[in-house]
Amino acid sequence: MASMGFAEPTLFELVPTLMGESNFATWTTSLKWTLDSRDLRYYELLTGAWSEPRVVDPTQPTPAEVEARTQWDTASRYLLPLLNATVHETVKFYILDANNARNAYAHLHRAFAARSYDVGFSIFLKFMNTTYTSNRPQAFVNEWRVALGELQECNSTKLTPLLIFYHFLNAVSVNPAVHPWLDSFLYSKVSTDTTIEATFADFVVSEDRRLNSINQAQNFSLAKANPLPFFCQFHNRQAGHSSENCFRNPANQLPLDQLVMTPVTAPVQAPAEHTVTEDLSAQ
């Protein structure tokens, strides 16, 4: 009697299709069990425990370095299509730009791994509350980019460039002084080729120009209100003389022993005027 055999279950029978955050834990657990039954290093490659080999001198790799790199690349090429085959069509978007299995799994983990609701919500609030109120455009752009990066790191929804673009415009619109730039930018400069980096640059340049104009106007007003050219520290006010030439400056005052005191004398009386009649009588 011929012996009866059975077919080994396929990967697709052992690993459920990844739909998103709802079944990520089940998917990754099943994937680990299945890959461990074939080679323990496979799942280690996905998680980064088996790190991508590096060579000390790329121009002259050693035989051991070449062998390590070959093994890692071979395993990655084997795993990448398996990952692609076990995710739903709507999830493939997250791994399209992955050039190896490690990066593909990292993208999926970042997008769908369960996170604390409180942590995720606080990061979301930080991003939404990062608005332009400081009149420091470059500092704001840097702060907003950090908040965006944190949100992208924890959010299961991948933000599209268009959504990021309008989030930034909303963040700067809370400052009424920016509305002229918004109107000009939206109606004259936005096109299908507009990038978020170009938007950042245009915003910073426009704001720097606006703030410089305000500073120049304020300086002009101060100059009109204070026409005196010097500030005297001894009078503690604007003055027509400098501190160096102020009479209160100790350097401009002689010591008491060098002061020449002019004696006070009676005023010299002018000779009395004589009339012509008095002169004739005297004669």
Side-chain angles (χ1 to χ4, degrees), residues 3 8 16 19 36 44 51 76 83 93 111 118 146 159 170 218 222 239 266-268 273 282:
S3 60
E8 181 181 354
M19 305 300 296
D36 284 353
E44 291 178 349
S51 59
S76 177
L83 289 179
F93 170 74
D118 292 337
V146 170
L159 300 178
N170 180 71
Q218 290 177 343
L222 289 175
V268 178
E273 295 182 357

Side-chain angles (χ1 to χ4, degrees), residues 55-62 65:
V55 296
V56 177
D57 184 1
T59 61
Q60 294 181 333
T62 65
E65 291 173 338

Side-chain angles (χ1 to χ4, degrees), residues 239-260:
H241 59 270
S242 64
S243 300
E244 181 181 1
N245 296 324
C246 181
F247 72 91
R248 292 183 178 179
N249 187 341
N252 297 329
Q253 298 178 9
L254 293 175
L256 291 176
D257 58 354
Q258 295 183 18
L259 290 176
V260 178

Side-chain angles (χ1 to χ4, degrees), residues 5-209:
F6 61 91
E8 181 181 354
T10 65
L11 177 71
F12 312 110
E13 294 174 321
L14 297 173
V15 181
T17 300
L18 176 63
M19 305 300 296
E21 187 173 357
S22 60
N23 73 328
F24 180 82
T26 302
W27 174 80
T28 191
T29 301
S30 302
L31 183 66
K32 181 182 186 308
W33 289 346
T34 303
L35 294 179
D36 284 353
S37 67
R38 303 183 181 188
D39 191 325
L40 292 176
R41 294 185 304 171
Y42 284 162
Y43 192 75
E44 291 178 349
L45 185 150
L46 296 181
T47 60
W50 180 14
S51 59
E52 185 175 0
R54 305 294 181 185
V55 296
V56 177
D57 184 1
T59 61
Q60 294 181 333
T62 65
E65 291 173 338
V66 172
E67 177 62 22
R69 182 72 204 192
T70 300
Q71 292 182 8
W72 195 92
D73 285 341
T74 300
S76 177
R77 285 193 295 269
Y78 169 75
L79 292 170
L80 188 56
L82 292 184
L83 289 179
N84 187 69
T86 60
V87 300
H88 191 264
E89 289 296 329
T90 58
V91 177
K92 294 183 187 296
F93 170 74
Y94 292 91
I95 61 176
L96 288 178
D97 58 348
N99 57 0
N100 57 57
R102 165 61 188 148
N103 288 341
Y105 182 82
H107 292 172
L108 295 173
H109 187 275
R110 184 182 303 115
F112 302 120
R115 291 178 179 268
S116 165
Y117 171 81
D118 292 337
V119 172
F121 189 65
S122 65
I123 292 176
F124 170 75
L125 285 181
K126 177 183 177 182
F127 174 70
M128 296 303 296
N129 292 330
T130 302
T131 55
Y132 181 54
T133 58
S134 63
N135 281 337
R136 293 184 296 124
Q138 187 60 64
F140 164 72
V141 167
N142 294 339
E143 181 185 4
W144 191 86
R145 293 177 74 168
V146 170
L148 172 65
E150 293 176 351
L151 180 65
Q152 289 178 312
E153 183 70 19
C154 80
N155 196 2
S156 61
T157 302
K158 194 168 184 178
L159 300 178
T160 64
L162 185 62
L163 186 59
I164 293 173
F165 171 77
Y166 280 107
H167 266 299
F168 177 76
L169 297 187
N170 180 71
V172 301
S173 67
V174 301
N175 190 331
V178 182
H179 290 182
W181 171 78
L182 280 172
D183 294 338
S184 173
F185 186 74
L186 286 173
Y187 292 113
S188 64
K189 297 184 179 180
V190 175
S191 68
T192 55
D193 297 327
T194 302
T195 64
I196 189 64
E197 294 297 330
T199 305
F200 290 156
D202 197 271
F203 166 73
V204 171
V205 170
S206 175
E207 274 298 278
D208 283 342
R209 187 182 301 116

Side-chain angles (χ1 to χ4, degrees), residues 223-253:
K224 290 182 64 178
N226 301 291
L228 297 176
F230 302 101
F231 180 84
C232 176
Q233 63 181 5
F234 299 103
H235 285 87
N236 195 30
R237 59 176 172 79
Q238 294 295 127
H241 59 270
S242 64
S243 300
E244 181 181 1
N245 296 324
C246 181
F247 72 91
R248 292 183 178 179
N249 187 341
N252 297 329
Q253 298 178 9

